[in-house]
Amino acid sequence: MRVLVVTAVAAERDAVCAAAGPCDGTTLPGGYELRRAAGLPVAFEVLAAGVGPAAAAAGTATALTAAALTGQPYDLVVSAGIGGGFSPGAPLGSVVVADAIVAADLGAETPDGFVPVTELGFGTVAHRPDPALVRAVAAAAGAVAGTVVTVSTVTGSAARAAELAERHPGVLAEAMEGFGVAEAAAAHGVPVLEVRTVSNAVGPRDRAAWRIGDALAALTGAFRTLPGALTATAGPAPEPPPRSASLTRGTPTSLRRTP
């Protein structure tokens, strides 16, 4: 199984690679550096695509296209990194797996408040990963599952945090890349997940309270559990047919890309 993991910055990429073992590097079109971990049942290929949904979408699309052109498409894309947590559901150091990846600020401001782009008659604002996959990954990582919102401007006030929580019941975390990664994955017909570890509380910015090191360590821990969860979700390989019946063996079951 080949899994593309997309982070924003190198520190997040390195935290994922720390879980996967030694990673070698290759360069993709556009100068993107892709780190590859060999020798695992699940092959992680990790890309630091940049900050924000546009950079995330561009980097993800580049990696997916390069893989497709070689005839070895990915089975899954994971948006990963640290982010802000909404209290009390996602305290500092916790792990969140998105059951909905939502663009929180894609739309229009009106006299009656924010209107998502879907209510304007076009586009999409949410991607929903496979529920069984979300449950398996969350259980393996000791994570909570809920909405992760993608923003282009990090929340810096209690009022903004309250507004997001009201508009998105069940929201657990805020980050800046998940929706961009999900859009690129959807365009290529590849399933998507988002995994976030919480470095700070969503609300007034208090850098003294941030726990970035702890969140990066939690990210490494979460990705150590991911191969087992994905392998279990994919299921066992089918029994090969009797030798007298056919010389063609069955194809192992895996996460299937959507058409």
Side-chain angles (χ1 to χ4, degrees), residues 41-258:
V42 175
F44 289 135
E45 302 189 8
V46 193
L47 175 69
V51 175
T60 303
T62 298
L64 290 172
T65 299
L69 289 174
T70 65
Q72 296 180 312
Y74 290 102
D75 299 294
L76 177 70
V77 181
V78 183
S79 176
I82 65 176
F86 285 84
S87 181
L92 298 185
S94 62
V95 183
V96 176
V97 179
D99 62 12
I101 302 169
V102 179
D105 48 16
L106 182 60
E109 290 289 348
T110 77
D112 298 320
F114 179 81
V115 175
V117 71
T118 48
E119 293 186 21
L120 301 176
F122 52 90
T124 185
V125 293
H127 293 274
R128 298 189 180 277
D130 178 72
L133 188 57
V134 170
R135 288 193 298 269
V137 170
V144 288
T147 298
V148 177
V149 292
T150 299
V151 295
S152 294
T153 301
V154 173
T155 298
S157 69
R160 172 67 169 164
E163 179 202 353
L164 287 173
E166 182 178 0
R167 281 204 281 120
H168 304 284
V171 65
L172 291 178
E174 169 189 277
M176 300 182 75
E177 293 79 31
F179 187 78
V181 173
E183 284 281 273
H188 283 259
V190 183
V192 68
L193 283 175
E194 184 170 7
V195 177
R196 293 285 166 183
T197 54
V198 177
S199 59
N200 58 279
V202 176
R205 291 171 64 80
D206 179 7
R207 294 181 67 90
W210 293 2
R211 298 293 180 265
I212 291 176
D214 292 343
L216 290 171
L219 190 64
T220 300
F223 270 83
R224 287 195 177 115
T225 72
L226 194 59
L230 296 180
T231 302
T233 305
E239 292 289 332
R243 294 180 67 87
S244 59
S246 173
L247 296 179
T248 303
R249 291 183 176 272
T251 301
T253 304
S254 68
L255 290 169
R256 298 188 182 277
R257 293 177 295 120
T258 55

